[in-house]
């Protein structure tokens, strides 16, 4: 089998998204979403690096690799790698050829730290990462809730916000405050809450411009963003739902968090329950979320709510900056 490796371009995004979705059906990707994410990266003032390859056999795209720097956790010597091979061509040398291109490129770039990942139920992918010198850094469970069997009545007494705070969707807050003010209030709370999300490196500042571009994603769902808003108009907690490429019966949970001064008052739980209630009313059957194994409070909350873990995504790590 002859494998041809070439540089990938925007025209290849449908093929890259197809490969990504076949390898990781838990996290399906569309060409439109991929283009949106990569355009944010390319437009970012930090000028993060991006390089893409496609592996072809007899003219068919069967694998892809990407080296990039994440604006959300940026360091000039830290690189993220995504390398995926279609299940039909796995363990046939395609990944090895792509890895050779990636490793040569990282060497030229002088990379001092590399992050990559694979699901634990894909042992060949895990072994591949380990053979290339990467070690496990953290695990993130996919947690899934069956909304069809959820008993909301059992949680009525725990879905209350404190006095002076009301639950609003981002759409409602926008209609009340206007686009700019609502987005600034949402961004301010999000920026504080995200600092406590477990990650492999220090978080980079998320500017308002970056945040507004994030909200332009094809999967962004303004009426799925639940906010706890004070009488003064300050957002003090949030729980996000995002559309899924799998269809209208699934939504993905983004960030759920609370400003530090407002914690331990049940705000995150109340918002998550309200988001779940609205999703169920709209006919959504499943909610998916990712929880790092080190995030004990959120894992405990989701377990109480009835989320059940699926195989974990393992983040691998090499080097240090």
């Amino acid at each position: 089998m002859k494998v041809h490796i070439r540089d990938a371009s925007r025209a290849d995004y449908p093929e890259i998204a197809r490969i990504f979705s076949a390898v990781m059906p838990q996290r399906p990707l569309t060409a439109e979403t991929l283009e949106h994410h990569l355009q944010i990266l390319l437009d970012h003032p930090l000028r993060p690096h991006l390089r893409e390859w496609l592996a072809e056999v007899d003219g068919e795209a069967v694998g892809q690799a990407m080296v990039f720097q994440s604006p959300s956790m940026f360091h000039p010597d830290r690189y993220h790698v995504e390398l995926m091979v279609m299940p039909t061509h796995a363990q046939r040398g395609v990944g090895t050829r792509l890895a050779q291109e990636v490793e040569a490129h990282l060497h030229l770039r002088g990379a001092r730290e590399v992050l990559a990942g694979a699901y634990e139920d894909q042992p060949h992918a895990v072994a591949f990462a380990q053979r290339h010198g990467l070690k496990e850094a953290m695990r993130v469970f996919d947690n899934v809730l069956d909304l069809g069997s959820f008993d909301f009545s059992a949680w009525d007494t725990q879905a209350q916000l404190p006095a002076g705070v009301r639950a609003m969707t981002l759409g409602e807050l926008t209609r009340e405050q206007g686009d700019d003010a609502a987005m600034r209030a949402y961004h301010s709370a999000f920026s504080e809450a995200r600092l406590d999300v477990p990650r492999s490196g220090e978080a980079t500042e998320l500017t308002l411009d970056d945040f507004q571009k994030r909200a332009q994603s094809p999967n962004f769902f303004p009426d799925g963003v639940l906010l706890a808003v004070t009488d003064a108009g300050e957002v003090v907690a949030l729980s996000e739902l995002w559309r899924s490429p799998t269809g209208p019966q699934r939504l993905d949970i983004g960030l759920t968090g609370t400003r530090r001064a407002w914690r331990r008052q049940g705000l995150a739980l109340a918002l998550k329950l309200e988001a779940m209630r609205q999703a169920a009313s709209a006919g959504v059957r499943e909610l998916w979320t990712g929880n790092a194994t080190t995030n004990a409070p959120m894992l405990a909350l989701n377990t109480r709510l009835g989320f059940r873990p699926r195989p974990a995504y393992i983040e691998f790590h090499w080097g240090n900056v």
Side-chain angles (χ1 to χ4, degrees), residues 29 34 84 104 114 129 135 177 186 247 289 300 303 316:
L29 182 68
L34 175 63
M84 300 181 185
V114 178
K135 297 183 179 180
Q177 295 189 1
Y186 173 27
T289 187
T303 299
F316 291 98

Side-chain angles (χ1 to χ4, degrees), residues 30-51:
T30 66
E32 293 76 17
T33 301
L34 175 63
E35 181 172 1
H36 174 77
H37 289 327
L38 294 184
Q39 194 60 52
I40 288 177
L41 188 150
L42 292 170
D43 291 342
H44 199 278
L46 289 172
R47 296 290 180 260
H49 179 70
L50 172 65
R51 181 72 182 272

Side-chain angles (χ1 to χ4, degrees), residues 187-257:
H187 168 253
S188 180
F190 184 99
S191 297
E192 182 175 329
R194 76 183 277 267
L195 294 178
D196 295 320
V197 174
R199 66 185 77 236
S200 302
E202 186 177 349
T204 310
E205 178 190 3
L206 179 68
T207 68
L208 179 60
D209 183 58
D210 296 336
F211 193 66
Q212 289 172 323
K213 290 177 179 176
R214 175 181 182 268
Q216 294 166 6
S217 167
N219 296 332
F220 188 69
F221 182 26
D223 286 330
V225 177
L226 271 293
L227 307 171
V229 185
T230 68
D231 291 340
E234 179 188 12
V235 175
V236 294
L238 63 140
S239 186
E240 300 177 317
L241 292 177
W242 289 68
R243 296 186 180 94
S244 169
T246 60
Q249 292 198 329
R250 166 180 164 179
L251 288 174
D252 297 332
I253 297 177
L255 180 66
T256 296

Side-chain angles (χ1 to χ4, degrees), residues 4-8 12 15-16 19 52-56 61-65 98:
H4 174 62
I5 308 293
R6 65 172 176 84
D7 287 341
D12 297 307
E15 291 299 296
I16 293 174
I19 295 168
E52 305 164 89
W53 297 268
L54 208 62
E56 297 174 326
V62 297
Q64 66 90 20
L98 284 167

Side-chain angles (χ1 to χ4, degrees), residues 19-165:
I19 295 168
F20 191 104
S21 298
V23 174
M24 294 206 299
Q26 311 93 324
R27 303 181 180 189
L29 182 68
T30 66
E32 293 76 17
T33 301
L34 175 63
E35 181 172 1
H36 174 77
H37 289 327
L38 294 184
Q39 194 60 52
I40 288 177
L41 188 150
L42 292 170
D43 291 342
H44 199 278
L46 289 172
R47 296 290 180 260
H49 179 70
L50 172 65
R51 181 72 182 272
E52 305 164 89
W53 297 268
L54 208 62
E56 297 174 326
V57 173
D58 297 328
E60 177 189 359
V62 297
Q64 66 90 20
M66 186 180 302
V67 170
F68 64 97
Q69 293 173 314
S70 173
S72 66
M73 201 175 77
F74 183 81
H75 187 285
D77 297 322
R78 175 186 293 131
Y79 294 84
H80 298 253
V81 173
E82 289 181 356
L83 192 158
M84 300 181 185
V85 177
M86 289 289 292
T88 54
H89 287 73
Q91 303 182 74
R92 296 173 64 185
V94 178
T96 298
R97 288 280 290 108
L98 284 167
Q100 289 169 349
E101 296 286 341
V102 168
E103 289 173 343
H105 185 70
L106 290 171
H107 179 73
L108 281 174
R109 296 283 304 180
R112 293 169 50 205
E113 185 174 1
V114 178
L115 299 172
Y119 272 94
E120 64 180 352
D121 62 347
Q122 298 177 334
H124 65 280
V126 172
F128 184 87
Q130 293 170 336
R131 285 199 304 272
H132 285 79
L134 284 85
K135 297 183 179 180
E136 182 174 330
M138 64 184 294
R139 293 189 178 216
V140 178
F141 283 116
D142 284 331
N143 273 315
V144 182
L145 177 68
D146 177 7
L147 269 180
S149 61
F150 188 81
D151 181 10
F152 284 97
S153 64
W155 292 86
D156 284 345
T157 60
Q158 300 188 57
Q160 305 300 316
L161 291 169
V165 180

